[in-house]
Amino acid sequence: MALKTLSAKAAAALDKELMSTGAFSIDQLMELAGLSVSQAVYRVHPVNKGRRVLIAVGPGNNGGDGLVAARHLRHYGYAPTIYYPKRPKNDLYQRLTKQLEALDIPFTDDFPAALKSTDHVVDAIFGFSFSGEVREPFPAVIEAMTETTVPVTSVDAPSSWNIEQGPPKSGVGSSFNPDVLVSLTAPKPLIKFFKGRHFIGGRFVTPAIARKYDFDLPEYEGIDQVVEVGPNGQKL
Amino acid sequence: MALKTLSAKAAAALDKELMSTGAFSIDQLMELAGLSVSQAVYRVHPVNKGRRVLIAVGPGNNGGDGLVAARHLRHYGYAPTIYYPKRPKNDLYQRLTKQLEALDIPFTDDFPAALKSTDHVVDAIFGFSFSGEVREPFPAVIEAMTETTVPVTSVDAPSSWNIEQGPPKSGVGSSFNPDVLVSLTAPKPLIKFFKGRHFIGGRFVTPAIARKYDFDLPEYEGIDQVVEVGPNGQKL
């Protein structure tokens, strides 16, 4: 039984539905998505294994999830550093950024240099709305994440991958295979090309929404906001 | 060493500051506050001890925290029922209510009847901005929570208590002493009259804010959003 997945188009429709008939605000959803990511990082890389986490933040909602995750990680005792080269004039992202500054979390302009002194990387550059070419300055960042031996956790999609087709056939990202992936709400079709540890997060989807979009709600445990799953979606 | 507390006035100023210089939205703060409450309930009353939780929701932000907690409890596997007699025309509360309806969570108009078939009660009626008299229809609800043998968890303050002076000298609430209290951000002065299990929640306060308002950040563990503390604020 293969894992049911959500196409890029369906993921966009689901997001829209959560905020219309679902009555969620983007602030709420991003808070819960980022919280999921922070819990997955805590699981794969406990704080006593090295506090330093470098978070690569993209210009859209995937980046916003990364900003929220960074705040929670800081509260858990990690020492995050943020790489956030493209900052849209969006009120929410600006507020999330301010929340990090209030915790004295450093921002860096030099991803490759920061990569030399971190224990874990979070790839929150592109999510389910990505398609086409990786634009500057991200190609070098994806190359660096491809080559590094530091473990990388990607949010929703390995950045540069096509949501349906997986890694590009050549060029930037073609050899990128992160160690961990946190699928938000449901895995995307690219999951069949992914070889690492796989978590599902986003414990706010109703059974009715899951039925409508034809995917299965994972079996979360206790108060966890993420669950690790195997290749067929079974709980690990 | 006595536990440092936050007066009603200071708690209001802190809330305001979190949303101005702190750059948090009310959606975000309420999500995290309600999440804290749900985690405390999970701790004191695990789902396998009885799934039914009756949540008494007041007309303000304390009620909003209760609505958020109800949603998370539902996702943890509890069967919440909501008593929400006074519903202001506030967009956020309406959305939080809709999120519960989307999970088929029942609402009741009859608190005493619902109390007869529940395993736990959450008191989210009044918080730090309460003062004066308990208005209708809440006196009977507080009387029922006073008399019941079902354990009660209060959010931020036992409803009807004065934030500084504790329980009223006579009348409604004078004998109300809930089993559990979840103080949000920091305990209020009423804590010295409280005899039950005490949790602190709200893992989003920065060290700078805690210094400014002269309280200590509790030592949360792991990814927990709440911590149980003793009479002097020590971790239990």
Side-chain angles (χ1 to χ4, degrees):
Chain A
M1 193 186 77
L3 188 60
K4 286 185 182 172
T5 60
L6 205 55
S7 70
K9 207 174 149 185
L14 168 60
D15 237 35
K16 212 174 148 190
E17 176 146 0
L18 285 168
M19 287 186 271
S20 55
T21 55
F24 282 93
S25 68
I26 179 83
D27 290 50
Q28 266 189 298
L29 292 177
M30 202 166 276
E31 191 62 36
L32 294 172
L35 181 68
S36 297
V37 172
S38 72
Q39 292 194 354
V41 170
Y42 185 87
R43 199 86 70 84
V44 299
H45 183 83
V47 64
N48 60 14
K49 300 278 181 190
R51 298 173 61 231
R52 301 168 303 173
V53 183
L54 175 59
I55 303 180
V57 177
N61 283 348
N62 201 258
D65 298 339
L67 296 173
V68 171
R71 170 163 38 82
H72 288 290
L73 288 168
R74 173 67 188 75
H75 284 293
Y76 303 159
Y78 292 87
T81 296
I82 313 295
Y83 172 72
Y84 192 15
K86 293 282 175 195
R87 308 189 190 182
K89 287 194 198 318
N90 165 307
D91 175 63
L92 174 55
Y93 305 152
Q94 289 187 356
R95 286 191 287 103
L96 295 175
T97 301
K98 227 171 153 185
Q99 290 162 24
L100 300 183
E101 288 165 351
L103 287 163
D104 298 321
I105 292 175
F107 286 68
T108 179
D109 290 328
D110 189 342
F111 186 85
L115 190 55
K116 285 181 190 144
S117 51
T118 193
D119 303 303
H120 198 88
V121 176
V122 174
D123 157 28
I125 301 177
F126 303 123
F128 68 76
S129 58
F130 174 80
S131 67
E133 296 288 302
V134 177
R135 298 210 188 131
E136 291 301 335
F138 296 109
V141 176
I142 289 161
E143 294 292 6
M145 290 194 298
T146 305
E147 284 157 27
T148 186
T149 55
V150 177
V152 176
T153 292
S154 287
V155 178
D156 217 24
S159 296
S160 76
W161 285 27
N162 180 283
I163 302 307
E164 271 81 34
Q165 318 284 320
K169 297 281 172 270
S170 61
V172 172
S174 55
S175 313
F176 180 40
N177 219 308
D179 303 80
V180 182
L181 177 66
V182 185
S183 293
L184 296 170
T185 70
K188 312 305 174 294
L190 56 73
I191 194 67
K192 63 177 172 291
F193 302 96
F194 174 71
K195 305 296 178 205
R197 291 177 68 177
H198 180 207
F199 292 81
I200 299 180
R203 199 174 182 178
F204 46 76
V205 177
T206 63
I209 291 251
R211 271 195 303 278
K212 177 167 174 182
Y213 287 85
D214 190 30
F215 62 89
D216 302 311
L217 290 179
E219 287 179 50
Y220 294 99
E221 275 196 9
I223 58 171
D224 292 349
Q225 300 293 317
V226 286
V227 58
E228 185 165 8
V229 295
N232 303 319
Q234 75 280 24
K235 194 166 67 184
L236 289 186
Chain B
M1 192 186 78
L3 188 59
K4 285 185 182 173
T5 61
L6 206 55
S7 70
K9 206 173 150 186
L14 168 61
D15 237 34
K16 212 173 149 190
E17 177 147 0
L18 284 168
M19 289 187 271
S20 55
T21 56
F24 282 93
S25 69
I26 179 82
D27 291 49
Q28 264 188 299
L29 292 177
M30 201 166 277
E31 191 62 35
L32 294 173
L35 181 68
S36 296
V37 172
S38 72
Q39 292 194 353
V41 170
Y42 185 87
R43 197 85 70 83
V44 299
H45 183 83
V47 65
N48 60 13
K49 299 278 180 189
R51 298 173 62 232
R52 301 168 304 173
V53 183
L54 175 59
I55 303 180
V57 176
N61 284 348
N62 201 258
D65 298 340
L67 296 173
V68 171
R71 171 163 37 83
H72 287 290
L73 288 168
R74 173 70 187 75
H75 283 294
Y76 303 159
Y78 291 88
T81 295
I82 313 295
Y83 172 73
Y84 191 18
K86 293 282 175 197
R87 307 188 190 184
K89 287 195 198 318
N90 165 307
D91 174 63
L92 174 55
Y93 305 153
Q94 289 186 356
R95 286 191 286 104
L96 295 175
T97 301
K98 228 171 153 185
Q99 290 162 24
L100 299 183
E101 289 164 350
L103 287 163
D104 298 321
I105 291 175
F107 286 68
T108 179
D109 289 328
D110 190 341
F111 186 84
L115 189 55
K116 286 181 189 142
S117 51
T118 193
D119 304 302
H120 198 88
V121 177
V122 174
D123 157 28
I125 302 177
F126 303 123
F128 68 76
S129 57
F130 174 80
S131 67
E133 295 288 303
V134 176
R135 298 211 188 130
E136 291 299 335
F138 296 109
V141 176
I142 288 162
E143 293 293 6
M145 289 194 298
T146 304
E147 284 157 27
T148 186
T149 56
V150 177
V152 177
T153 293
S154 287
V155 178
D156 216 24
S159 294
S160 76
W161 285 27
N162 179 283
I163 302 307
E164 271 81 33
Q165 318 283 321
K169 297 280 171 272
S170 61
V172 173
S174 54
S175 313
F176 180 41
N177 219 308
D179 304 80
V180 181
L181 177 65
V182 185
S183 293
L184 295 171
T185 68
K188 311 305 174 294
L190 55 72
I191 194 68
K192 63 178 175 289
F193 302 95
F194 174 71
K195 303 296 179 205
R197 291 177 69 177
H198 180 208
F199 292 81
I200 299 179
R203 199 174 183 179
F204 46 74
V205 177
T206 63
I209 291 251
R211 271 195 304 277
K212 177 167 175 183
Y213 287 85
D214 191 30
F215 63 88
D216 301 311
L217 289 179
E219 287 178 49
Y220 294 98
E221 275 195 12
I223 58 171
D224 293 349
Q225 300 292 317
V226 285
V227 58
E228 185 166 7
V229 295
N232 302 320
Q234 76 278 24
K235 194 166 69 182
L236 289 184

